[in-house]
Amino acid sequence: MIRRAVASDSGFLRDMLVEAANGGAEPPRSRVAVLDDPSIGRYLAQWPRPGDIGLVAVDRDDTPVGACWARLFPADAPGSGFVASGVPELTLGVNSQWRALGVGRTLLQSLHGAVRAGGYSRVSLSVRRTNVARRLYVSEGYTVVSSSATTDVMVRVLV
Ligand SMILES: CC(C)(COP(=O)(O)OP(=O)(O)OC[C@H]1O[C@@H](n2cnc3c(N)ncnc32)[C@H](O)[C@@H]1OP(=O)(O)O)[C@@H](O)C(=O)NCCC(=O)NCCS
């Protein structure tokens, strides 16, 4: 089941942020190193802020198994997936025991609906080219708008 993410989900979202930050990274960084990195921590700082849109996937016992959320960053302090003011950046993570079961795709599709309902026409993200998540994004209609040595910034138009 998918439900809205609330303030008390911040601990689980932090777990998923660590997974997302390490997606495709070799070697992965420690949890402490990731969360101490301000360029990563800002994707969840003061969760939830006005304008944040988040979803959590839960199992039959209501235990969170995955999360996807979108947050806006300003042009003078852009996130790693920034493309323009007013285009929220997406973060996605699924608990390792629940992967390859369709949870990530369901969360992503649901978040598209929630972001569109929030009045946004695009959503963006950054992904390492070595990350299997990139295949998911391509199959869900994301296109590459810029690239660095290791990373692509991708955008999905929400119609
Ligand atoms: C990326 C992630 C969210 C996908 O979640 P998931 O629930 O495992 O994904 P799904 O089961 O919905 O699979 C969706 C698609 O992802 C791709 N995919 C997922 N796992 C894959 C794997 N191990 N190898 C290749 N492709 C894979 C496939 O395209 C798959 O579609 P298919 O099943 O039709 O082939 C999950 O692997 C994860 O949490 N990874 C760590 C965090 C992360 O990297 N987040 C993204 C940061 S940009």
PDB file of all heavy atoms in Angstrom, residues 58-74:
ATOM      1  N   VAL A  58       4.144   0.689   2.299  1.00  0.00           N
ATOM      2  CA  VAL A  58       4.170  -0.102   3.535  1.00  0.00           C
ATOM      3  C   VAL A  58       3.730  -1.539   3.238  1.00  0.00           C
ATOM      4  O   VAL A  58       2.977  -1.782   2.292  1.00  0.00           O
ATOM      5  CB  VAL A  58       3.247   0.512   4.626  1.00  0.00           C
ATOM      6  CG1 VAL A  58       3.732   1.887   5.034  1.00  0.00           C
ATOM      7  CG2 VAL A  58       1.802   0.564   4.159  1.00  0.00           C
ATOM      8  N   ASP A  59       4.219  -2.475   4.073  1.00  0.00           N
ATOM      9  CA  ASP A  59       3.807  -3.866   3.916  1.00  0.00           C
ATOM     10  C   ASP A  59       2.501  -4.109   4.679  1.00  0.00           C
ATOM     11  O   ASP A  59       1.887  -3.169   5.193  1.00  0.00           O
ATOM     12  CB  ASP A  59       4.936  -4.817   4.339  1.00  0.00           C
ATOM     13  CG  ASP A  59       5.168  -4.819   5.850  1.00  0.00           C
ATOM     14  OD1 ASP A  59       4.379  -4.194   6.600  1.00  0.00           O
ATOM     15  OD2 ASP A  59       6.147  -5.455   6.289  1.00  0.00           O
ATOM     16  N   ARG A  60       2.094  -5.365   4.782  1.00  0.00           N
ATOM     17  CA  ARG A  60       0.792  -5.670   5.409  1.00  0.00           C
ATOM     18  C   ARG A  60       0.746  -5.292   6.880  1.00  0.00           C
ATOM     19  O   ARG A  60      -0.328  -5.125   7.452  1.00  0.00           O
ATOM     20  CB  ARG A  60       0.502  -7.160   5.275  1.00  0.00           C
ATOM     21  CG  ARG A  60       0.037  -7.526   3.889  1.00  0.00           C
ATOM     22  CD  ARG A  60       0.085  -9.021   3.671  1.00  0.00           C
ATOM     23  NE  ARG A  60       0.062  -9.271   2.238  1.00  0.00           N
ATOM     24  CZ  ARG A  60      -0.844 -10.011   1.639  1.00  0.00           C
ATOM     25  NH1 ARG A  60      -1.797 -10.569   2.322  1.00  0.00           N
ATOM     26  NH2 ARG A  60      -0.795 -10.187   0.344  1.00  0.00           N
ATOM     27  N   ASP A  61       1.919  -5.201   7.492  1.00  0.00           N
ATOM     28  CA  ASP A  61       1.976  -4.811   8.914  1.00  0.00           C
ATOM     29  C   ASP A  61       2.181  -3.312   9.092  1.00  0.00           C
ATOM     30  O   ASP A  61       2.517  -2.861  10.187  1.00  0.00           O
ATOM     31  CB  ASP A  61       3.111  -5.549   9.625  1.00  0.00           C
ATOM     32  CG  ASP A  61       2.935  -7.043   9.545  1.00  0.00           C
ATOM     33  OD1 ASP A  61       1.776  -7.490   9.625  1.00  0.00           O
ATOM     34  OD2 ASP A  61       3.943  -7.752   9.374  1.00  0.00           O
ATOM     35  N   ASP A  62       2.045  -2.569   8.006  1.00  0.00           N
ATOM     36  CA  ASP A  62       2.255  -1.121   8.031  1.00  0.00           C
ATOM     37  C   ASP A  62       3.713  -0.735   8.258  1.00  0.00           C
ATOM     38  O   ASP A  62       4.003   0.386   8.685  1.00  0.00           O
ATOM     39  CB  ASP A  62       1.375  -0.441   9.093  1.00  0.00           C
ATOM     40  CG  ASP A  62      -0.011  -0.121   8.558  1.00  0.00           C
ATOM     41  OD1 ASP A  62      -0.173  -0.151   7.323  1.00  0.00           O
ATOM     42  OD2 ASP A  62      -0.905   0.134   9.371  1.00  0.00           O
ATOM     43  N   THR A  63       4.615  -1.661   8.007  1.00  0.00           N
ATOM     44  CA  THR A  63       6.037  -1.341   8.119  1.00  0.00           C
ATOM     45  C   THR A  63       6.501  -0.716   6.811  1.00  0.00           C
ATOM     46  O   THR A  63       6.272  -1.301   5.734  1.00  0.00           O
ATOM     47  CB  THR A  63       6.851  -2.621   8.388  1.00  0.00           C
ATOM     48  OG1 THR A  63       6.343  -3.224   9.573  1.00  0.00           O
ATOM     49  CG2 THR A  63       8.337  -2.314   8.544  1.00  0.00           C
ATOM     50  N   PRO A  64       7.140   0.447   6.869  1.00  0.00           N
ATOM     51  CA  PRO A  64       7.607   1.072   5.630  1.00  0.00           C
ATOM     52  C   PRO A  64       8.652   0.215   4.905  1.00  0.00           C
ATOM     53  O   PRO A  64       9.551  -0.344   5.542  1.00  0.00           O
ATOM     54  CB  PRO A  64       8.232   2.386   6.112  1.00  0.00           C
ATOM     55  CG  PRO A  64       7.586   2.660   7.427  1.00  0.00           C
ATOM     56  CD  PRO A  64       7.367   1.306   8.043  1.00  0.00           C
ATOM     57  N   VAL A  65       8.493   0.101   3.586  1.00  0.00           N
ATOM     58  CA  VAL A  65       9.447  -0.676   2.786  1.00  0.00           C
ATOM     59  C   VAL A  65      10.093   0.163   1.686  1.00  0.00           C
ATOM     60  O   VAL A  65      11.072  -0.266   1.075  1.00  0.00           O
ATOM     61  CB  VAL A  65       8.779  -1.929   2.184  1.00  0.00           C
ATOM     62  CG1 VAL A  65       8.225  -2.820   3.288  1.00  0.00           C
ATOM     63  CG2 VAL A  65       7.683  -1.579   1.187  1.00  0.00           C
ATOM     64  N   GLY A  66       9.553   1.343   1.423  1.00  0.00           N
ATOM     65  CA  GLY A  66      10.143   2.193   0.400  1.00  0.00           C
ATOM     66  C   GLY A  66       9.547   3.589   0.486  1.00  0.00           C
ATOM     67  O   GLY A  66       8.480   3.779   1.104  1.00  0.00           O
ATOM     68  N   ALA A  67      10.237   4.541  -0.099  1.00  0.00           N
ATOM     69  CA  ALA A  67       9.747   5.923  -0.048  1.00  0.00           C
ATOM     70  C   ALA A  67      10.204   6.686  -1.281  1.00  0.00           C
ATOM     71  O   ALA A  67      11.243   6.375  -1.885  1.00  0.00           O
ATOM     72  CB  ALA A  67      10.241   6.632   1.217  1.00  0.00           C
ATOM     73  N   CYS A  68       9.408   7.666  -1.638  1.00  0.00           N
ATOM     74  CA  CYS A  68       9.725   8.537  -2.764  1.00  0.00           C
ATOM     75  C   CYS A  68       9.188   9.917  -2.416  1.00  0.00           C
ATOM     76  O   CYS A  68       8.048  10.034  -1.948  1.00  0.00           O
ATOM     77  CB  CYS A  68       9.047   7.997  -4.023  1.00  0.00           C
ATOM     78  SG  CYS A  68       9.573   8.765  -5.559  1.00  0.00           S
ATOM     79  N   TRP A  69      10.014  10.916  -2.590  1.00  0.00           N
ATOM     80  CA  TRP A  69       9.545  12.256  -2.271  1.00  0.00           C
ATOM     81  C   TRP A  69      10.171  13.286  -3.206  1.00  0.00           C
ATOM     82  O   TRP A  69      11.172  13.016  -3.866  1.00  0.00           O
ATOM     83  CB  TRP A  69       9.805  12.603  -0.802  1.00  0.00           C
ATOM     84  CG  TRP A  69      11.228  12.748  -0.379  1.00  0.00           C
ATOM     85  CD1 TRP A  69      11.954  13.903  -0.271  1.00  0.00           C
ATOM     86  CD2 TRP A  69      12.124  11.689   0.027  1.00  0.00           C
ATOM     87  NE1 TRP A  69      13.229  13.631   0.175  1.00  0.00           N
ATOM     88  CE2 TRP A  69      13.351  12.286   0.364  1.00  0.00           C
ATOM     89  CE3 TRP A  69      12.012  10.298   0.131  1.00  0.00           C
ATOM     90  CZ2 TRP A  69      14.460  11.547   0.804  1.00  0.00           C
ATOM     91  CZ3 TRP A  69      13.102   9.559   0.564  1.00  0.00           C
ATOM     92  CH2 TRP A  69      14.297  10.186   0.903  1.00  0.00           C
ATOM     93  N   ALA A  70       9.530  14.458  -3.241  1.00  0.00           N
ATOM     94  CA  ALA A  70       9.980  15.538  -4.112  1.00  0.00           C
ATOM     95  C   ALA A  70      10.070  16.818  -3.303  1.00  0.00           C
ATOM     96  O   ALA A  70       9.199  17.104  -2.475  1.00  0.00           O
ATOM     97  CB  ALA A  70       9.011  15.719  -5.274  1.00  0.00           C
ATOM     98  N   ARG A  71      11.137  17.557  -3.537  1.00  0.00           N
ATOM     99  CA  ARG A  71      11.390  18.807  -2.803  1.00  0.00           C
ATOM    100  C   ARG A  71      11.931  19.834  -3.772  1.00  0.00           C
ATOM    101  O   ARG A  71      12.734  19.509  -4.660  1.00  0.00           O
ATOM    102  CB  ARG A  71      12.383  18.521  -1.679  1.00  0.00           C
ATOM    103  CG  ARG A  71      12.950  19.745  -1.015  1.00  0.00           C
ATOM    104  CD  ARG A  71      13.722  19.422   0.251  1.00  0.00           C
ATOM    105  NE  ARG A  71      12.822  19.261   1.401  1.00  0.00           N
ATOM    106  CZ  ARG A  71      13.212  19.208   2.673  1.00  0.00           C
ATOM    107  NH1 ARG A  71      14.501  19.287   2.969  1.00  0.00           N
ATOM    108  NH2 ARG A  71      12.348  19.073   3.650  1.00  0.00           N
ATOM    109  N   LEU A  72      11.531  21.094  -3.554  1.00  0.00           N
ATOM    110  CA  LEU A  72      12.022  22.200  -4.383  1.00  0.00           C
ATOM    111  C   LEU A  72      13.301  22.783  -3.801  1.00  0.00           C
ATOM    112  O   LEU A  72      13.426  22.911  -2.575  1.00  0.00           O
ATOM    113  CB  LEU A  72      10.979  23.314  -4.433  1.00  0.00           C
ATOM    114  CG  LEU A  72       9.763  23.089  -5.322  1.00  0.00           C
ATOM    115  CD1 LEU A  72       8.716  24.163  -5.030  1.00  0.00           C
ATOM    116  CD2 LEU A  72      10.145  23.098  -6.791  1.00  0.00           C
ATOM    117  N   PHE A  73      14.221  23.163  -4.671  1.00  0.00           N
ATOM    118  CA  PHE A  73      15.418  23.903  -4.268  1.00  0.00           C
ATOM    119  C   PHE A  73      15.491  25.189  -5.080  1.00  0.00           C
ATOM    120  O   PHE A  73      15.078  25.209  -6.243  1.00  0.00           O
ATOM    121  CB  PHE A  73      16.680  23.070  -4.500  1.00  0.00           C
ATOM    122  CG  PHE A  73      16.743  21.854  -3.624  1.00  0.00           C
ATOM    123  CD1 PHE A  73      16.383  20.614  -4.107  1.00  0.00           C
ATOM    124  CD2 PHE A  73      17.130  21.966  -2.297  1.00  0.00           C
ATOM    125  CE1 PHE A  73      16.409  19.489  -3.293  1.00  0.00           C
ATOM    126  CE2 PHE A  73      17.164  20.855  -1.472  1.00  0.00           C
ATOM    127  CZ  PHE A  73      16.801  19.615  -1.971  1.00  0.00           C
ATOM    128  N   PRO A  74      16.042  26.242  -4.470  1.00  0.00           N
ATOM    129  CA  PRO A  74      16.121  27.511  -5.206  1.00  0.00           C
ATOM    130  C   PRO A  74      17.294  27.532  -6.186  1.00  0.00           C
ATOM    131  O   PRO A  74      18.264  26.785  -6.023  1.00  0.00           O
ATOM    132  CB  PRO A  74      16.337  28.528  -4.078  1.00  0.00           C
ATOM    133  CG  PRO A  74      17.008  27.767  -2.993  1.00  0.00           C
ATOM    134  CD  PRO A  74      16.513  26.354  -3.086  1.00  0.00           C
TER     135      PRO A  74
END
